[in-house]
Amino acid sequence: MADGRVIAVAGAKGGVGKTTTAINIGVALAEAGETVAIVELDLAMANIIDFLQFEPERTLHDVLSGTVPTTEALYPIEERLHVLPAGTELAEFNAINVAALAPVIRSLRPAYDFVLLDTAAGVSPETIYPLRLADEVMIVSTPRVASIRDAKKTIELAHRVNGEVAGVVFNRAGTGRAPPPERLAGFLETDLIGAIPEDETVAAAQDMSRPVTLFDPDSDAAAAFHEIADTLVLSDAPSDDEDDNVLGTGGFSDLQNAEEIVKSAAEADPDGMGGTTKPLEADELSTGDPDDNGFEFVKRKGE
Ligand SMILES: Nc1ncnc2c1ncn2[C@@H]1O[C@H](COP(=O)(O)OP(=O)(O)OP(=O)(O)O)[C@@H](O)[C@H]1O
Ligand SMILES: [Mg+2]
């Protein structure tokens, strides 16, 4: 049995399927007998409640502002699956201190077999913290060039904060002219954890505010999520490394560190995501651009 394994589901590109993946892997893990908490770490654009049928009164914002204990903001979704949602009121965002996340995550570790962190798009302290706090980072990307570039940036940032990248999940795979997922994972110099096909059942499930793994367990997407969950259960959690001092365990100095990290990451790779030569500010790295249509990343022979 896993023992409080914390996995950050990450990828800087918006809309690639991080939340969909976190929820459905959570359902699949729970069905495999594991206890799971999903923590929504999208503090500015919280939307996990759109994927699930519940209306939370208490959220992560309340927990981080110290008014509510963590256990009171955890909602049972399925047997063995609890969700800790972020608040949807933008005004609440100002009240929270991202550095307070560490003790919250730490408190969940002994209570669950798996803690999945559903992270936000873009690059900010809010997105970088989970890369550091988690035992392992699961990168989610579509097989599209803009998403893969952002995935690479997320991997670089994870390494920079001593995060452990477990590998990449390619979502909406099998469309366009993309090379096979194995090859794309090779480009990212990481392991391929799994691939989820483009599947209209996913959207149909979301319209009903249900995870596809429950809405249509026989769908191709549900099967792929189960396969990934089984891989996680069967794989070992990465062992703790000793070189653990980039970020501490919470507090204001951690937040300052995270901001430093965002800045230095942008300066170190000014051409990375923005394609500009000036140092990028953190919010310039956010990725609200529409998906590129068609895959131009690797030309095949004869094209
Ligand atoms: N395999 C799939 N097939 C079809 N549609 C999908 C698939 N995966 C995700 N989607 C759809 O893509 C949209 C974006 O997914 P999701 O919200 O999970 O992405 P995200 O990475 O969490 O976005 P954000 O960065 O905004 O948090 C949703 O409408 C979802 O239903
Ligand atoms: Mg999301």
Side-chain angles (χ1 to χ4, degrees):
M1 186 187 275
D3 180 24
R5 221 166 130 182
V6 181
I7 302 177
V9 180
K13 182 88 172 80
V16 294
K18 295 178 288 295
T19 303
T20 304
T21 300
I23 291 172
N24 283 289
I25 288 178
V27 170
L29 284 169
E31 286 182 357
E34 306 290 323
T35 54
V36 184
I38 300 175
V39 183
E40 180 175 36
L41 291 186
D42 199 334
L43 298 166
M45 299 288 281
N47 68 349
I48 205 164
I49 57 168
D50 298 337
F51 290 74
L52 301 163
Q53 279 161 340
F54 76 125
E55 285 174 23
E57 281 167 27
R58 296 163 303 276
T59 68
L60 181 60
H61 290 76
D62 302 316
V63 174
L64 293 178
S65 61
T67 55
V68 161
T70 310
T71 45
E72 282 185 23
L74 281 156
Y75 293 82
I77 298 299
E78 283 284 299
E79 209 189 338
R80 292 186 291 271
L81 174 62
H82 294 173
V83 170
L84 175 43
T88 51
E89 294 282 320
L90 214 55
E92 293 175 72
F93 183 55
N94 302 325
I96 60 101
N97 178 350
V98 177
L101 279 173
V104 175
I105 305 304
R106 204 167 346 118
S107 74
L108 293 173
R109 195 190 284 278
Y112 294 92
D113 296 321
F114 284 88
V115 178
L116 307 180
L117 312 180
D118 173 28
T119 70
V123 179
S124 67
E126 177 195 345
T127 54
I128 291 176
Y129 251 103
L131 306 178
R132 174 65 192 85
L133 292 176
D135 299 314
E136 53 202 297
V137 178
M138 175 186 287
I139 302 290
V140 176
S141 177
T142 67
R144 306 280 173 186
V145 71
S147 175
I148 289 170
R149 275 207 198 104
D150 286 7
K152 198 157 184 81
K153 173 63 74 181
T154 305
I155 290 170
E156 283 164 12
L157 283 170
H159 289 153
R160 202 174 274 262
V161 297
N162 268 4
E164 177 87 25
V165 177
V168 60
V169 168
F170 281 106
N171 186 28
R172 314 193 84 147
T175 53
R177 299 186 300 134
E182 291 78 7
R183 196 157 148 215
L184 297 174
F187 167 76
L188 291 173
E189 297 176 16
T190 194
D191 290 339
L192 177 66
I193 299 174
I196 301 140
E198 170 76 31
D199 186 343
E200 60 189 22
T201 323
V202 176
Q206 203 192 333
D207 284 347
M208 304 298 289
S209 298
R210 299 203 71 203
V212 70
T213 34
L214 296 173
F215 176 78
D216 186 356
D218 295 327
S219 62
D220 291 344
F225 285 122
H226 276 284
E227 206 172 299
I228 292 169
D230 291 349
T231 306
L232 288 177
V233 174
L234 295 174
S235 67
D236 290 328
S239 56
D240 267 352
D241 65 31
E242 295 301 314
D243 186 21
D244 232 5
N245 56 2
V246 174
L247 291 182
T249 51
F252 187 65
S253 62
D254 273 10
L255 184 60
Q256 287 175 320
N257 282 344
E259 283 170 348
E260 276 306 305
I261 287 161
V262 176
K263 237 167 125 187
S264 60
E267 283 167 8
D269 184 19
D271 293 325
M273 295 209 296
T276 122
T277 48
K278 70 178 169 58
L280 292 166
E281 294 299 325
D283 59 357
E284 287 181 296
L285 295 177
S286 69
T287 50
D289 52 323
D291 206 357
D292 53 339
N293 229 347
F295 196 88
E296 303 293 341
F297 180 59
V298 181
K299 289 240 185 266
R300 290 188 199 151
K301 268 192 186 150
E303 280 184 325

